[in-house]
Amino acid sequence: MHLTYPDPRQPGVLLRRYDTAQGFCRQTEKVENPTKVVAVVGNSHMEQYMGAVIPVAQEENWQLISVLQPGCGFGVEGQSSTCKDGNEAAMDYLRELKPDAVLTTSTRAELTDGPAERVVSGLDALTRELTAQGTTVVGFRDNPRLDFDPTRCVAEKGRDDESCRVSADAVLAAENPAQSLDSIPGFAGIDPTPLICPQGVCAPVIGNVALWIDSHHLTWEYTRTMAPLLRDQLVAAVGTGATG
């Protein structure tokens, strides 16, 4: 049994791949003559950033395709067997599709342990392979993983209660660990931390918009407000152009 993926460059042509990633592949409404074909891969933390990515893609006439596997950062080495199989299938697809860019989370934050944030296991190797084939890799820094639900905290104590917010230093590394990938030609990093934890504080509400669905996922409503603020950075990153 095989999975068929769409090839946005050739209407009606499907790419055949293993059923390991069955159900994880999605494509936005077909774009006529897209300026870029952009694949979004990774886990639910990359999926939530789609709220910021989709409006920019629409403005720039990008074709978006997502291969998102819950609980699986984009890597092969150092991942669970389930994630390894899913990411190998995703890489098979990306090798054949050769998108202009791949967007993924570049780091993994740990539960209320800032210094433990690290580059996603196995991402370095996949980044080098993708950029070598001419695909730009854009790495979004992970959002914090808290040990409480800020939305519930607000409901119980009010939005201004200090216990409903946390210092960014307590939940993320002092510097973005993915800076170690900056030396790879064709890699571009995006750090949304100033929008999630402005002035070093991770609050439950910003501009009357709730940030958190739960202890470590952002609301669609809030990530959509990030779109105009990340637009120039994202457009520049996707247009970096890897050299194959």
Side-chain angles (χ1 to χ4, degrees):
M1 183 176 179
H2 290 79
L3 174 68
T4 55
Y5 290 101
D7 184 344
R9 294 189 180 87
Q10 302 181 59
V13 175
L14 297 175
L15 304 178
R16 299 179 63 80
R17 279 295 158 250
Y18 303 110
D19 62 355
T20 307
Q22 184 72 47
F24 300 140
C25 186
R26 299 287 185 271
Q27 178 175 327
T28 54
E29 185 175 347
K30 179 172 168 45
V31 173
E32 295 296 330
N33 301 314
T35 57
K36 301 283 186 182
V37 174
V38 178
V40 182
V41 299
N43 57 20
S44 59
H45 282 213
M46 190 61 229
E47 182 176 15
Q48 67 191 357
Y49 286 138
M50 292 284 278
V53 171
I54 289 174
V56 177
Q58 291 172 336
E59 291 178 3
E60 296 296 314
N61 205 45
W62 297 343
Q63 179 69 67
L64 287 182
I65 298 171
S66 65
V67 184
L68 297 161
Q69 187 174 10
C72 295
F74 187 47
V76 174
E77 297 302 321
Q79 298 285 342
S80 68
S81 58
T82 298
C83 294
K84 180 178 179 180
D85 290 348
N87 285 326
E88 284 178 339
M91 276 299 292
D92 282 346
Y93 176 45
L94 295 173
R95 290 183 187 108
E96 191 163 352
L97 179 65
K98 291 183 172 58
D100 296 294
V102 165
L103 313 186
T104 193
T105 46
S106 54
T107 71
R108 177 184 168 86
E110 296 298 336
L111 183 64
T112 316
D113 187 353
E117 183 189 8
R118 55 180 170 75
V119 174
V120 171
S121 297
L123 178 61
D124 185 291
L126 299 190
T127 296
R128 293 181 187 278
E129 180 177 344
L130 287 168
T131 54
Q133 77 172 19
T135 296
T136 297
V137 175
V138 180
F140 282 70
R141 188 180 188 179
D142 199 6
N143 63 268
R145 298 170 189 257
L146 312 179
D147 60 359
F148 67 97
D149 183 337
T151 300
R152 178 175 295 180
C153 186
V154 168
E156 295 175 351
K157 302 179 181 180
R159 61 183 290 179
D160 295 325
D161 193 285
E162 286 300 315
S163 66
C164 297
R165 60 190 69 221
V166 64
S167 169
D169 291 341
V171 289
L172 293 172
E175 295 186 357
N176 184 357
Q179 289 178 355
S180 64
L181 303 176
D182 288 346
S183 61
I184 302 175
F187 174 83
I190 290 180
D191 187 353
T193 303
L195 302 181
I196 301 170
C197 304
Q199 299 179 324
V201 177
C202 309
V205 179
I206 295 178
N208 291 322
V209 181
L211 269 72
W212 305 92
I213 296 174
D214 55 27
S215 62
H216 64 102
H217 289 99
L218 304 174
T219 64
W220 187 263
E221 290 76 13
Y222 189 72
T223 58
R224 285 187 66 84
T225 71
M226 294 164 62
L229 302 174
L230 290 178
R231 182 188 181 283
D232 290 350
Q233 196 175 358
L234 180 56
V235 170
V238 168
T240 297
T243 56

